Amino acid sequence: MQLYVIDWSFQNSEDQFYATNEFCENFKKGKFNEFIEGFELKFIAHTPQNGSGIIICKAKDTISVLNLLKMWRNNYSILFNIKPALSNEELIELHSSKEYWSKD
């Protein structure tokens, strides 16, 4: 599974208000702890003072991520910046690799 770092930002404070209410209700009901095939939520950080935040997750592919974010994007005008990322171990493996651009 691929690690993803997703930045989000609201386009207006009204959407932020309504989305925050829905998020809190879903969180209280444990919906973010439910098993979703091909997706694993690692962490969510909120910065409500500027209407943004970060999601860290693992997913089998970008389509899985886009499908999960679709409802939030469609209902609340949230912009998502989805970036594949590397774990510490993957970064070390890449840095130690001599497969590409090697002078040897």
Side-chain angles (χ1 to χ4, degrees), residues 24-25 34 39 45 58-59 62 64 67 69 76-77 79-80 97:
C24 291
E25 286 303 314
E34 292 178 2
F39 181 83
K58 283 189 171 184
T62 306
S64 300
N67 283 335
L69 298 176
Y76 300 109
S77 300
L79 290 177
F80 293 98
S97 174

Side-chain angles (χ1 to χ4, degrees), residues 9-23 26 66-80:
S9 60
F10 288 97
Q11 300 307 294
N12 61 66
S13 59
E14 182 178 15
D15 279 333
Q16 180 183 0
F17 174 76
Y18 289 116
T20 300
N21 285 340
E22 183 162 344
F23 176 88
N26 286 330
L66 290 170
N67 283 335
L68 285 167
L69 298 176
K70 183 178 181 179
M71 183 276 297
W72 297 97
R73 185 181 321 116
N74 290 346
N75 292 328
Y76 300 109
S77 300
I78 304 173
L79 290 177
F80 293 98

Side-chain angles (χ1 to χ4, degrees), residues 1-3 36-43 55-60 68:
M1 293 221 305
Q2 174 65 52
L3 182 66
I36 299 171
E37 182 72 34
F39 181 83
E40 182 182 346
L41 179 63
K42 296 292 193 178
F43 187 77
I55 299 168
I56 298 175
C57 63
K58 283 189 171 184
K60 67 178 181 178
L68 285 167

